[in-house]
Amino acid sequence: MKIWLDGGLRDADGARVSVFDHGLTVGDGVFETLKAVHGRAFALTRHLERLTTSARGMGLPAPDLDEVRDGCAAVLDANPMALGRLRITYTGGLSPLGSDRGDNGTTLVIALSETAPRPDTTAAVTVPWTRNERGALAGLKTTSYGENVVALSRARELGASEALFANTVGALCEGTGSNVFVVLDGELHTPPLSSGCLAGITRALTVTWAGAKETDLPLDVLERAEEIFLTSTLRDIQAVTRIDGRQLADRPGPVTAEAMRIFAERSAADIDPRC
């Protein structure tokens, strides 16, 4: 396996990042995960725009997007596979122990692993912890993923693949690595970015392509929604058939199925959709 590390391809077994890298010691970094289909990264331009936005929000220097593109292409060419998870990680680099950032430059790692298509349906749970929609990292895709690790572990213990959060005012927000959509009276809704959720790439495409409304929703909307689905880079659109103790239909509902059809059709037609 070959990865990209700070300007060139390396053997994964021999690649090294300092134990003093700020991404390791304090989570000072941002990242993107992309779906790669037969060596082509989906929605690369949108992901790089979000990488830049997240870096700016963290106070990191803007990443060199030409290098990131070159690195993605090199890693994809070096590791052929039908379906992959392409991960771009960009950190504060070698730094002193503590929160202060060093002046040694940033670290860029691009890696790829093989993955399998997701099933059409899954189960999710709600968790008692909240997203802080007013926090410094709200809406940024950072490597500070401790909350997600804890919440996803809870979901796995309960036989689910995703955990859903409310925000500090009790509004539905997002999952640990997904955005959430609900169907109410036959209409498709998803929380707005002001809820503190990540500006998901698949979320944005689904809003545009399937005509979803961005709506402030209480967490208990999950108890009455006719349909629920999750979106993410590797899930695409995935129906939720069980939420906590509530059983929904055992297959995607009609609105979800139509959104899945539209997304599959549009994403297959354009590997780098801008709108």
Side-chain angles (χ1 to χ4, degrees):
M1 181 66 68
K2 300 284 189 180
I3 70 165
W4 184 273
L5 174 59
D6 289 339
L9 279 178
R10 315 282 180 89
D11 289 328
D13 289 343
R16 297 289 184 267
V17 173
S18 171
V19 295
F20 295 106
D21 191 279
H22 227 212
L24 172 65
T25 57
V26 298
D28 179 23
V30 297
F31 77 100
E32 288 293 318
T33 299
L34 296 80
K35 178 175 65 175
V37 182
H38 295 293
R40 302 181 71 196
F42 179 69
L44 178 59
T45 298
R46 283 176 175 263
H47 279 283
L48 295 188
E49 289 171 351
R50 191 173 65 183
L51 182 73
T52 300
T53 298
S54 294
R56 183 184 307 118
M58 285 287 288
L60 289 166
D64 181 341
L65 297 188
D66 288 335
E67 180 188 350
V68 178
R69 283 184 179 274
D70 289 346
C72 289
V75 168
L76 289 167
D77 287 345
N79 305 288
M81 59 187 66
L83 183 63
R85 176 196 297 262
L86 183 66
R87 161 90 179 217
I88 304 165
T89 306
Y90 181 67
T91 79
L94 186 64
S95 299
L97 292 174
S99 297
D100 286 335
R101 218 174 254 146
D103 56 6
N104 295 286
T106 55
T107 299
L108 174 66
V109 179
I110 304 172
L112 182 69
S113 65
E114 196 162 13
T115 189
R118 57 89 182 106
D120 286 343
T121 63
T122 194
V125 298
T126 56
V127 289
W129 310 292
T130 59
R131 287 293 202 227
N132 182 2
E133 72 280 5
R134 299 176 64 187
L137 303 184
L140 305 181
K141 196 168 182 69
T142 78
T143 58
S144 299
Y145 244 49
E147 286 187 350
N148 293 327
V149 171
V150 172
L152 187 56
S153 177
R154 171 70 65 87
R156 297 293 190 191
E157 291 171 359
L158 296 173
S161 76
E162 183 58 301
L164 301 179
F165 295 92
N167 63 17
T168 64
V169 295
L172 179 63
C173 185
E174 64 178 353
T176 68
S178 68
N179 293 105
V180 58
F181 288 71
V182 300
V183 177
L184 299 170
D185 297 325
E187 292 190 328
L188 190 55
H189 300 263
T190 193
L193 298 182
S194 59
S195 71
C197 69
L198 182 71
I201 305 302
T202 307
R203 173 194 178 276
L205 293 172
T206 301
V207 167
T208 300
W209 293 346
K213 297 180 178 179
E214 296 180 276
T215 310
D216 285 308
L217 302 162
L219 183 65
D220 66 10
V221 74
L222 299 173
E223 300 172 7
R224 53 190 168 84
E226 298 141 33
E227 302 173 38
I228 304 168
F229 66 75
L230 308 175
T231 62
S232 74
T233 291
L234 294 176
R235 292 177 191 265
D236 291 338
I237 294 176
Q238 187 179 42
V240 174
T241 55
R242 177 172 61 83
I243 177 72
D244 293 328
R246 182 187 175 207
Q247 189 69 41
L248 287 82
D250 61 1
R251 66 188 65 186
V255 177
T256 301
E258 178 64 5
M260 293 170 77
R261 183 195 67 79
I262 292 170
F263 190 89
E265 182 179 280
R266 294 287 297 267
S267 61
D270 187 356
I271 196 68
D272 197 17
R274 312 297 176 88
C275 61

